[in-house]
C-alpha cells in the first residue's frame, strides 16, 4: 500500500516549498503572544500589551487579503519581498520602541504596520493547487498543510514565550522576525513551483470576497474560530479554578493532538459525497463536540473531551480549502484562501474576548456556553454554504459578482 503523503512529494520542488513555507509561517503563531510577553515585561501592564497585540492581529486580518490579491495579479516573487521588508522593519521598530520605552502611540503604529505580514499558508496551498488541481492528491496536500498549521500553533507559542522569559523580553518577536525573513527568502527561491499568474477576469480589481458562497464559508470559519479561541481561554480559566493552571498546556496540547492525528488520517481517505455535503457534516460534528463541555468536572475529563473535539478541526479546514478551490476563480485563489484563514483568526479573537468577559462574570465553566453558541451559529451558516456551494465548477468572477451581489 502506497503512502499518499510520500506520493505528493514526488512532484519536483514540492518538499522545498512546503518546508520553507513551514519556517516562514511560524511567526503567525509567535508574534501576537510574543508582543504580549514582551510588553508585559517592558511596560508592566497587560492592558497595553493586549491592545498592541490586538492592533497587530486586526491590521493583519484586514491587510493580508489585499496582499494576496496583489500576489494573484503579479505573482509571489514580485510581491512577497517588499511586503516582507515592510513587516520586518515594522517589527524591528516595535522591538526597539519596547526596549527604549517609546510612547504608546509608536507601539501601536509599528504593530499596525507589521500587519503587512503575508499569508504564507495561503501561498503554500496555492502551489499545491497548481500542481495537483482536480486530482485526489490535492485533498492529501491540503490535509498535510492543515497538520503543519497545527504544528505551527503548537510549537510557535512555546518558542516565543519561552525565549522572551528565559533570555530577554524582545527575544520572542526577534525569533519570529528571523523565521519570517529566512523562511520567505527560501520560499521565493523555489521559482519552479510558483503558480503561474492567471489572466485577470473582467472583474479586474474586484475582491473575491464579493462572491456570496465565499462569504458564507468565511462566516462559518469565523464561528469555528470562535470555538477555538473560547476553548483556549476557558481551558486556562478552568485549570486555574482547579488549582492546576499549568495543566492548561496539557489540555490544549490534547486539543491540538486530536486535530493533528485526525488530519493525518483524513488526508488518506477518499470520499464520494460532494464537498458541500462533507462541509456540512464536519461543521455538525464540530457543533456536537462542544456539547459535552457543559458536563466537564475535572482536568483529565476536559483533556479527553477536547481531544475528541479536535477531531473536527482539521477536516473542517481541509474541506474548506477544497471548497474554495472549486468555487473561486483560479486567478484569485490565493486571496480566497487568505480570507478563509483570516476568518478563523477573527473568530479566535472574538471567541477569546467574549469568553473572557463571560468567565469574569459567571465563572470558568460558563465560558463553554460561548463554544456551544459558536457551534450552533457555525452549523446554521454552514447550511447556507451547502445551499450555495454544491456546484463543483469554478465560478467565473464576472458572472458570480453580478449573480450574487
Amino acid at each position: 500500500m502506497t503512502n499518499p503523503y510520500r506520493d505528493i512529494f514526488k512532484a519536483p520542488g514540492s518538499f522545498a516549498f512546503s518546508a520553507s513555507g513551514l519556517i516562514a509561517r511560524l511567526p503567525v503563531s509567535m508574534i501576537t503572544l510574543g508582543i504580549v510577553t514582551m510588553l508585559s515585561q517592558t511596560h508592566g501592564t497587560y492592558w497595553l500589551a493586549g491592545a498592541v497585540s490586538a492592533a497587530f492581529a486586526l491590521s493583519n486580518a484586514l491587510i493580508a487579503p489585499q496582499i494576496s490579491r496583489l500576489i494573484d495579479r503579479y505573482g509571489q516573487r514580485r510581491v512577497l519581498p517588499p511586503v516582507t521588508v515592510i513587516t520586518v522593519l515594522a517589527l524591528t521598530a516595535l522591538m526597539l520602541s519596547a526596549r527604549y520605552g517609546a510612547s504608546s502611540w509608536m507601539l501601536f503604529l509599528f504593530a499596525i504596520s507589521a500587519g503587512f505580514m503575508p499569508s504564507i499558508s495561503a501561498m503554500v496551498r496555492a502551489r499545491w493547487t497548481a500542481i495537483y488541481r482536480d486530482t485526489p492528491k490535492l485533498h492529501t496536500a491540503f490535509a498535510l498543510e492543515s497538520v503543519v498549521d497545527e504544528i505551527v500553533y503548537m510549537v510557535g507559542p512555546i518558542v516565543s514565550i519561552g525565549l522572551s522569559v528565559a533570555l530577554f523580553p524582545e527575544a520572542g518577536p526577534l525569533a519570529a522576525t528571523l523565521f519570517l525573513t529566512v523562511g520567505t527568502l527560501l520560499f521565493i527561491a523555489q521559482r519552479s513551483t510558483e503558480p503561474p499568474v492567471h489572466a485577470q477576469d473582467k472583474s479586474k480589481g474586484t475582491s473575491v470576497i464579493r462572491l456570496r458562497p465565499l462569504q458564507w464559508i468565511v462566516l462559518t470559519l469565523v464561528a469555528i474560530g470562535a470555538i477555538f479561541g473560547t476553548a483556549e481561554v476557558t481551558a486556562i480559566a478552568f485549570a486555574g479554578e482547579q488549582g492546576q493552571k499549568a495543566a492548561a498546556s496539557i489540555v490544549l496540547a490534547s486539543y491540538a493532538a486530536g486535530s493533528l492525528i485526525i488530519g493525518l488520517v483524513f488526508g488518506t481517505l477518499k470520499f464520494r459525497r460532494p464537498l458541500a455535503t462533507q462541509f456540512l457534516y464536519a461543521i455538525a460534528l464540530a457543533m456536537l463536540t462542544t456539547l459535552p463541555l457543559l458536563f466537564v468536572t475535572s482536568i483529565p475529563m476536559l483533556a479527553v473531551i477536547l481531544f475528541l473535539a479536535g477531531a473536527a478541526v482539521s477536516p473542517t479546514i481541509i474541506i474548506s480549502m477544497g471548497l474554495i478551490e472549486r468555487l473561486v476563480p483560479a486567478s484569485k485563489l490565493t486571496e480566497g484562501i487568505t480570507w478563509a484563514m483570516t476568518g478563523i483568526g477573527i473568530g479566535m479573537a472574538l471567541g477569546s474576548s467574549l469568553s473572557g468577559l463571560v468567565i469574569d462574570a459567571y465563572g470558568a465553566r460558563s465560558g463553554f456556553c460561548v463554544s456551544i453558541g459558536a457551534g450552533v451559529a457555525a452549523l446554521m451558516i454552514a447550511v447556507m454554504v451547502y445551499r450555495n456551494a454544491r456546484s463543483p465548477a469554478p465560478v467565473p468572477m464576472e458572472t458570480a459578482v453580478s449573480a450574487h451581489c
Side-chain angles (χ1 to χ4, degrees):
M1 183 177 179
T2 60
N3 185 330
Y5 291 102
R6 183 182 301 168
D7 289 343
I8 64 174
F9 283 115
K10 289 181 179 179
S14 56
F15 180 80
F17 79 72
S18 183
S20 58
L22 166 61
I23 297 172
R25 70 195 203 231
L26 271 170
V28 171
S29 64
M30 296 177 65
I31 292 179
T32 50
L33 288 176
I35 290 174
V36 171
T37 308
M38 174 179 70
L39 293 181
S40 63
Q41 293 183 83
T42 59
H43 287 65
T45 57
Y46 278 97
W47 73 264
L48 177 64
V52 173
S53 178
F56 162 77
L58 180 60
S59 172
N60 187 240
L62 296 175
I63 296 174
Q66 314 313 319
I67 292 172
S68 292
R69 191 196 309 183
L70 292 174
I71 286 171
D72 282 329
R73 181 173 296 184
Y74 300 109
Q76 296 179 358
R77 186 159 31 100
R78 292 180 62 185
V79 178
L80 269 178
V83 297
T84 301
V85 168
I86 293 173
T87 306
V88 169
L89 290 176
L91 288 173
T92 301
L94 178 61
M95 288 183 282
L96 291 174
S97 298
R99 183 76 173 179
Y100 296 105
S103 301
S104 296
W105 70 265
M106 295 183 68
L107 299 176
F108 283 101
L109 173 64
F110 295 132
I112 292 171
S113 300
F116 276 83
M117 186 175 70
S119 177
I120 300 295
S121 176
M123 279 168 260
V124 171
R125 286 177 167 92
R127 293 197 180 209
W128 284 120
T129 303
I131 296 172
Y132 291 125
R133 186 184 297 276
D134 297 327
T135 71
K137 290 183 179 180
L138 183 59
H139 171 80
T140 304
F142 282 166
L144 172 71
E145 295 308 322
S146 178
V147 169
V148 171
D149 284 336
E150 292 296 337
I151 295 173
V152 165
Y153 279 97
M154 288 175 67
V155 174
I158 296 173
V159 173
S160 183
I161 296 173
L163 289 174
S164 288
V165 172
L167 300 179
F168 50 92
E170 302 82 13
L174 177 59
T177 304
L178 293 175
F179 282 135
L180 178 64
T181 303
V182 174
T184 302
L185 287 174
L186 293 174
F187 185 74
I188 60 178
Q190 315 306 316
R191 298 188 177 186
S192 63
T193 53
E194 181 178 358
V197 177
H198 296 272
Q200 294 294 305
D201 52 44
K202 295 180 182 179
S203 64
K204 296 182 180 178
T206 302
S207 174
V208 75
I209 196 60
R210 293 183 65 183
L211 287 172
R212 186 62 55 82
L214 180 61
Q215 292 173 4
W216 289 121
I217 293 173
V218 172
L219 285 174
T220 306
L221 293 178
V222 169
I224 290 296
I227 297 177
F228 303 162
T230 300
E232 292 180 354
V233 174
T234 308
I236 294 171
F238 183 81
E241 283 190 356
Q242 299 292 311
Q244 304 178 58
K245 194 168 185 178
S249 59
I250 299 175
V251 172
L252 293 176
S254 71
Y255 192 27
S259 176
L260 191 152
I261 293 171
I262 297 301
L264 284 172
V265 174
F266 191 78
T268 66
L269 304 177
K270 297 179 181 180
F271 300 94
R272 294 183 179 181
R273 291 186 178 276
L275 283 171
T277 304
Q278 295 179 39
F279 185 77
L280 187 61
Y281 288 169
I283 299 300
L285 177 62
M287 187 274 290
L288 290 173
T289 56
T290 65
L291 300 180
L293 293 172
L294 288 177
F295 307 101
V296 169
T297 57
S298 66
I299 289 178
M301 185 178 180
L302 178 60
V304 172
I305 291 175
L306 286 183
F307 178 86
L308 297 175
V313 175
S314 286
T316 298
I317 296 175
I318 295 165
I319 296 167
S320 298
M321 297 305 155
L323 265 177
I324 291 171
E325 187 269 326
R326 297 291 183 91
L327 294 168
V328 171
S331 62
K332 298 178 182 288
L333 179 62
T334 308
E335 184 193 353
I337 294 175
T338 303
W339 277 113
M341 305 306 293
T342 295
I344 295 173
I346 292 173
M348 290 181 69
L350 291 174
S352 59
S353 299
L354 181 57
S355 60
L357 292 173
V358 172
I359 289 168
D360 286 341
Y362 303 105
R365 290 185 61 182
S366 63
F368 294 130
C369 295
V370 179
S371 292
I372 295 172
V376 172
L379 182 59
M380 293 173 63
I381 304 170
V383 172
M384 300 305 299
V385 175
Y386 178 76
R387 292 177 178 177
N388 284 274
R390 283 177 290 180
S391 173
V395 182
M397 189 66 176
E398 63 273 22
T399 303
V401 170
S402 61
H404 294 295
C405 298

